Amino acid sequence: MLSYTEENYLKALLMLGLQNEDKPEVGTNDMAAYLGVKPATATDMLKKLKEKDLVTYQKYGKILLTAIGRKKGIAVLRKHRLWETFLYEKLDFSWDEVHEVAEQLEHIQSEKLVNKLEEFLDFPEFDPHGDPIPKANGEIPIVHRILLSEMKENETCRVVAVKDTSALFLQYLERLNVTIGTKITVLEVVDFDGSLNVQIGNAPVRSVSVKFAESLFVKK
Amino acid sequence: MLSYTEENYLKALLMLGLQNEDKPEVGTNDMAAYLGVKPATATDMLKKLKEKDLVTYQKYGKILLTAIGRKKGIAVLRKHRLWETFLYEKLDFSWDEVHEVAEQLEHIQSEKLVNKLEEFLDFPEFDPHGDPIPKANGEIPIVHRILLSEMKENETCRVVAVKDTSALFLQYLERLNVTIGTKITVLEVVDFDGSLNVQIGNAPVRSVSVKFAESLFVKK
DNA sequence: TAAATTTGTTAGGTTAGTCTAACTTTAGTA
DNA sequence: TACTAAAGTTAGACTAACCTAACAAATTTA
Ligand SMILES: [Mn+2]
Ligand SMILES: [Mn+2]
Ligand SMILES: [Mn+2]
Ligand SMILES: [Mn+2]
């Protein structure tokens, strides 16, 4: 049985690994930063996780989840995203509110609960932020998506997910009427600062920053 | 902010207090037994709860929740019973399965969640075991009910709640087709051992033990 | 390649929650 | 009332998860 804390470390390792595509190795500092603890604390926990065969690593080396560690991490992520979907779909939470509560709910221990929940939600494929929900067998659907910042001039795309899930960004998106599925056309990429002139839905053309464009996942 | 553990102690104190009707005082040993810890541990925690003004007590004296402590305890109980109802009503859990999971869910921290959940469930008054669900304002509806063992010969009643919520008892009730609302007629009280000859619904007359009769709440 | 910077580890300490064993107080019984 | 049994407390110890400060290794950069 894993503790609440151990689960958080495994999920963190998984998430950080998923970010860097082909290189799922992660460093102590990244991990600590992600979890809001000090590097020393992360090192301690790493030793414990290694002892339990949940990660492989050696002093000053990179960290890699073992098959078991990865499986456990995925189970937590699955619960996280299912709960987010529940809160959003059934309890009228807004997409910037779900994360904090799901962060707690993801640790509830009950196979039956998570599977019944999934059924109750009608086997959703994506969470409110557009991220794929891992299946009961541990499979994470691969979604082909790119950042808005990677789009070229005169290309059109649809928003499929948010990379930054901070309340600040999500609330800003709401103000701009951007949700999953919104159509965006890139009219111009400004050389000076990389900002984009875009048309969002049918709204008047406007400019968005690089930071903005690097926080949205889209699909052509 | 209360820890998971502190919440469990407050709920335990509340529950034990509610059991003894007019005397809501509780002893260290009862508390420890209820929570599955040693008396020494309960004493330690008591000091902390006193420090935080959640209980009043002095060495070797009885324990009493303060107004604040009681309120916090009720909030946990409210969440517990709402979650049990959710699991039972929406996710098809059986009434002997809900408790264990609710024991974890009751600690999720989110005012909004509990109130939205209540709304989603259509403001239920009772949990799957027939126990009243505290209101958002902290009020616990008082339900007038007696034990089946207190019934006299030739009286008829309906089951309104279970006192013993162990899986063993609940599964036994299912086998006998007893649920909340089932009609029971006491035909005879056997002097020898206090057992009752009862008719449950339309089933053939059968005998139930004192232990059984003391585990069911009914209403005439 | 040597110095400077970044990254990661170790040592030692804290707090919450638990335990056992020994002790003290209170309550019940003779 | 005195004695015994039950109830409750204290002392000392342990583990998990965290920290700070000092140090060591690896990487970058000049
Ligand atoms: Mn978490
Ligand atoms: Mn999400
Ligand atoms: Mn609990
Ligand atoms: Mn219940």
Side-chain angles (χ1 to χ4, degrees):
Chain A
M1 196 86 313
L2 298 176
S3 72
Y4 185 108
T5 309
E6 288 168 330
E7 289 194 340
N8 279 339
Y9 278 87
L10 292 179
K11 193 184 66 163
L13 251 12
L14 177 74
M15 295 288 272
L16 290 168
L18 290 177
Q19 268 169 218
N20 306 17
E21 301 295 307
D22 25 284
K23 289 270 167 213
E25 296 168 336
V26 178
T28 306
N29 285 2
D30 304 328
M31 202 167 104
Y34 185 91
L35 289 164
V37 299
K38 300 290 160 173
T41 306
T43 300
D44 282 351
M45 179 57 77
L46 232 35
K47 289 183 193 160
K48 206 190 348 166
L49 295 178
K50 188 186 177 184
E51 208 51 51
K52 292 194 175 187
D53 271 316
L54 297 165
V55 304
T56 56
Y57 110 111
Q58 43 208 25
K59 261 208 230 180
Y60 296 103
K62 287 301 177 196
I63 308 155
L64 215 48
L65 285 169
T66 63
I68 310 149
R70 188 180 152 82
K71 199 174 132 202
K72 305 267 187 184
I74 289 175
V76 177
L77 186 62
R78 169 172 157 81
K79 286 189 276 183
H80 184 98
R81 292 183 176 166
L82 281 171
W83 279 116
E84 282 191 344
T85 306
F86 170 73
L87 295 173
Y88 186 78
E89 297 285 337
K90 304 292 184 180
L91 301 194
D92 292 315
F93 275 61
S94 58
W95 70 349
D96 59 298
E97 293 173 319
V98 300
H99 184 79
E100 183 188 345
V101 182
E103 205 52 50
Q104 300 175 61
L105 286 162
E106 71 190 2
H107 302 289
I108 302 296
Q109 230 57 69
S110 166
E111 274 288 316
K112 178 162 184 172
L113 174 56
V114 51
N115 294 325
K116 283 285 186 178
L117 183 65
E118 182 183 34
E119 186 186 336
F120 183 64
L121 296 171
D122 224 357
F123 300 92
E125 296 194 50
F126 301 98
D127 82 3
H129 308 109
D131 291 313
I133 298 174
K135 303 294 174 198
N137 65 14
E139 185 197 323
I140 306 179
I142 291 164
V143 184
H144 124 65
R145 62 194 193 182
I146 59 175
L147 289 173
L148 175 59
S149 57
E150 298 174 62
M151 296 286 290
K152 307 231 164 54
E153 284 182 358
N154 296 312
E155 288 182 329
T156 288
C157 59
R158 285 192 182 276
V159 175
V160 297
V162 288
K163 183 172 184 189
D164 175 355
T165 59
S166 71
L168 220 54
F169 181 56
L170 295 176
Q171 281 164 14
Y172 184 47
L173 288 179
E174 275 193 351
R175 257 180 53 202
L176 302 186
N177 279 311
V178 175
T179 67
I180 306 298
T182 298
K183 183 193 272 189
I184 298 182
T185 304
V186 177
L187 300 170
E188 190 190 354
V189 180
V190 179
D191 282 344
F192 170 60
D193 58 3
S195 67
L196 308 179
N197 291 328
V198 297
Q199 177 161 32
I200 297 174
N202 299 317
V205 175
R206 58 161 295 145
S207 169
V208 298
S209 68
V210 184
K211 185 174 178 190
F212 182 98
E214 287 177 342
S215 302
L216 263 195
F217 285 118
V218 301
K219 193 169 154 181
K220 279 182 206 165
Chain B
M1 195 89 312
L2 297 178
S3 72
Y4 185 109
T5 309
E6 289 169 326
E7 288 194 340
N8 279 338
Y9 278 87
L10 293 179
K11 194 184 65 162
L13 251 12
L14 178 72
M15 295 289 271
L16 290 168
L18 290 177
Q19 267 169 217
N20 309 14
E21 302 295 308
D22 24 286
K23 289 270 169 216
E25 296 168 335
V26 178
T28 306
N29 285 0
D30 303 329
M31 202 168 103
Y34 185 92
L35 289 164
V37 298
K38 301 291 161 172
T41 307
T43 300
D44 283 350
M45 180 56 79
L46 232 34
K47 288 183 195 161
K48 204 186 357 159
L49 295 178
K50 187 187 176 182
E51 209 50 52
K52 292 193 175 188
D53 271 316
L54 297 165
V55 305
T56 56
Y57 110 110
Q58 42 208 26
K59 259 208 230 182
Y60 295 103
K62 288 300 175 194
I63 309 154
L64 215 48
L65 286 168
T66 63
I68 310 149
R70 187 180 153 83
K71 198 174 134 205
K72 305 267 187 184
I74 289 174
V76 177
L77 186 62
R78 167 172 158 82
K79 286 189 276 181
H80 184 99
R81 291 182 175 166
L82 281 171
W83 278 115
E84 283 192 342
T85 306
F86 169 74
L87 296 172
Y88 186 79
E89 298 285 337
K90 303 291 184 182
L91 299 194
D92 292 316
F93 275 61
S94 57
W95 69 348
D96 59 296
E97 293 173 319
V98 299
H99 184 79
E100 184 188 344
V101 182
E103 204 55 48
Q104 300 175 62
L105 286 163
E106 72 190 2
H107 301 289
I108 302 297
Q109 228 65 64
S110 167
E111 274 287 317
K112 177 162 185 173
L113 174 55
V114 51
N115 294 326
K116 282 286 187 179
L117 183 64
E118 181 183 35
E119 186 185 336
F120 183 64
L121 297 171
D122 224 357
F123 299 93
E125 295 195 50
F126 302 99
D127 82 4
H129 308 109
D131 291 313
I133 298 174
K135 303 293 173 198
N137 64 13
E139 185 196 324
I140 307 179
I142 291 165
V143 184
H144 123 66
R145 64 194 192 179
I146 59 174
L147 291 171
L148 176 59
S149 57
E150 297 174 62
M151 297 286 289
K152 306 232 164 56
E153 285 181 358
N154 296 312
E155 286 184 331
T156 289
C157 60
R158 284 190 183 277
V159 174
V160 296
V162 289
K163 183 172 184 188
D164 175 356
T165 59
S166 71
L168 221 53
F169 182 55
L170 296 176
Q171 281 164 14
Y172 184 48
L173 287 179
E174 274 193 351
R175 255 180 56 201
L176 302 187
N177 280 309
V178 175
T179 67
I180 305 298
T182 299
K183 185 194 271 188
I184 297 181
T185 304
V186 176
L187 299 170
E188 190 191 351
V189 179
V190 179
D191 282 345
F192 169 61
D193 60 2
S195 68
L196 307 179
N197 291 328
V198 295
Q199 177 159 34
I200 297 172
N202 298 318
V205 175
R206 60 161 296 145
S207 170
V208 298
S209 69
V210 184
K211 185 173 178 190
F212 181 100
E214 286 177 341
S215 301
L216 264 195
F217 284 118
V218 301
K219 194 168 154 182
K220 279 181 205 168

